[in-house]
Amino acid sequence: MARVYNFSAGPSMLPVEVLKEAAEEMLDYNGTGMSVMEMSHRSKAFEEIIQSAEQDLRDLMNIPDNYKVLFLQGGASQQFSAIPMNLMKNGVADYIVTGQWAKKAYEEACRYGKANKIATSEDKTFSYIPDCSDLPISEDADYVYICHNNTIYGTTFKELPNTKGKTLVADMSSDILSQPVNVEDYGMIYFGVQKNVGPAGVVVVIIREDLIRDDVMEGTPTMLKYKTQADADSLYNTPPAYGIYICGKVFKHLKKLGGLEKMKEYNEKKAKILYDFLDASKLFKGTVVAKDRSLMNVPFVTGDKDMDAKFVKEATEAGFVNLKGHRSVGGMRASIYNAMPMEGVEKLVEFMKKFEEENA
Ligand SMILES: *Cc1c(COP(=O)(O)O)cnc(C)c1O
C-alpha cells in the first residue's frame, strides 16, 4: 500500500489514524455487530456519535451556548440558498465577492432578495482581499456575507470586514479548524466538511440562536429551514450518518493534537516552507498578494503553460498528486490542509527545487 501526498483542494487528505480507526470499526462498531453505515440514526450508538461530535466541535472552537450546531446535507452550495431564505428578513444582504464561491453565493442570493455586491477583487482575478474597513454597508442589510478562505485563488481574510454592526455570515469550508476562530464575531459560520474535516456529504452550520426563525421566506423548503433542523437536533430526517461519524473522529484527533492554537502553529510553519521557497524561486512564483495569502491553498505558476503541465506530470509520477490549478486560474495549486503532514510539503519543495535545477 502506497499513500500519495494528495494536494487536492477537496475532497482531500484525512488523517491516517482516523482512516485506520474507521477501518477497524468497519464491520463491528463498538460491539454493536454492525457498521455505522448500517445503523439506525435513532439508535443509542448513533446518538452518542452525533452528540460527542457536536461536543468535540464545541470544545475545539469554543462555541458559546447561544449558538446551535447543525449537521446537514447538500454541501456548502446548498447554503448559498438556505442563507438568504432564512436570514433575509428585510430582503437585503451585502456580499463581499472575493472568488468563485462567494460569487456563486451572491448570485444565488440575488434570486431571493436584494443582494448588493459591496466589494470585489474580480478586477485582478481575485488575487487579493479588498479593503473592507469602510464599505457602503446597506442600512437595512440583514447580514454581510464573506467567503473566509478562497479555495481557488488562495486568499484569506486576515482581518474581518467592518460590518458596522450587521451580522456577519462566513463560508469557512476551506479553512475551518485550521486556526482558532472567535465565533462571536459571526452570526453564522458554515462549512462543507470535505476540505478540512471529513468525507463529502456533510455541511456544518454554526448559527446564533436569535437568527433561527420560524417566519422565514415564503416557500422555503421545510428541509432548508434552520428551525426544522435545530428543533430536531439535526435528526429531522436521516442524516449523513457515516460522514458525521468520521467528522467526529477528526474532531477528537484535533483535540488530541492540542487543539486549534496548535494547528495554527503547525499550519503556519508548513505554509511558510512553501511560500519561502516560492519567494526565492526563479522558476515558480505565487499568484497572490503576500499579505492576503492563505494557509491552506497555495496557487503558483511558472508563467509558461507547457512548463506548468510538465511540472504537474512529473510531480504526479513522483507521488505528489492533484497539483493542477483550478480550471479558471491554470498553473498549480497545492492545498495543504490540516491533514497534510509537514513532511509532504518539505518533500514537495525538495522536488520543486530539483525540477527548477533541471529546467533552468
Ligand atoms: C468547495 C467549496 C464550496 C462548495 O462545496 P460543496 O460542498 O461542493 O457545495 C463552497 N465554498 C468553499 C469556500 C469551498 O471551498
Side-chain angles (χ1 to χ4, degrees), residues 85-300:
M85 286 178 146
N86 282 274
L87 303 188
M88 275 185 172
K89 217 168 164 176
N90 303 326
V92 181
D94 290 344
Y95 278 71
I96 298 174
V97 176
T98 52
Q100 293 295 347
W101 295 119
K103 193 176 176 184
K104 281 192 171 157
Y106 162 71
E107 283 167 356
E108 191 65 14
C110 288
R111 303 181 59 218
Y112 299 104
K114 189 168 181 306
N116 305 302
K117 195 195 289 182
I118 55 167
T120 177
S121 50
E122 198 163 10
D123 59 332
K124 291 185 182 150
T125 336
F126 298 119
S127 58
Y128 69 102
I129 298 289
D131 177 2
C132 297
S133 57
D134 186 18
L135 294 173
I137 307 286
S138 311
E139 281 287 315
D140 51 354
D142 292 308
Y143 59 89
V144 175
Y145 181 101
I146 59 168
C147 178
H148 193 264
N149 183 76
N150 298 284
T151 325
I152 297 174
Y153 302 94
T155 60
T156 199
F157 281 85
K158 303 265 162 94
E159 233 176 275
L160 291 181
N162 175 3
T163 65
K164 303 181 180 173
K166 302 296 182 195
T167 297
L168 183 61
V169 173
D171 176 356
M172 291 198 187
S173 295
S174 54
D175 66 340
I176 194 73
L177 305 181
S178 64
Q179 57 184 6
V181 171
N182 183 22
V183 175
E184 283 180 318
D185 289 341
Y186 304 83
M188 172 176 159
I189 292 169
Y190 74 98
F191 54 98
V193 305
Q194 72 272 27
K195 310 288 163 65
N196 215 3
V197 184
V202 183
V203 57
V204 179
V205 168
I206 301 166
I207 182 169
R208 215 175 54 223
E209 276 168 358
D210 61 282
L211 296 171
I212 302 176
R213 300 181 297 128
D214 213 11
D215 58 331
V216 297
M217 192 169 293
E218 180 86 25
T220 301
T222 308
M223 277 286 289
L224 291 195
K225 267 173 77 170
Y226 296 137
K227 181 137 194 344
T228 307
Q229 305 288 358
D231 287 351
D233 292 323
S234 305
L235 295 173
Y236 172 74
N237 70 330
T238 322
Y242 196 80
I244 293 168
Y245 155 75
I246 299 290
C247 289
K249 286 203 178 295
V250 172
F251 299 153
K252 279 212 171 20
H253 176 73
L254 294 177
K255 277 175 89 173
K256 213 166 73 191
L257 292 179
L260 301 191
E261 283 292 351
K262 273 276 178 310
M263 288 322 295
K264 177 173 195 252
E265 245 174 67
Y266 190 76
N267 287 324
E268 280 176 348
K269 229 169 121 184
K270 200 165 69 181
K272 189 173 186 302
I273 296 171
L274 187 47
Y275 284 126
D276 282 353
F277 169 72
L278 289 172
D279 287 343
S281 170
K282 291 203 168 63
L283 181 63
F284 299 101
K285 63 170 186 300
T287 57
V288 163
V289 170
K291 73 173 179 49
D292 299 325
R293 283 169 167 175
S294 166
L295 285 181
M296 299 279 100
N297 311 97
V298 184
F300 55 95

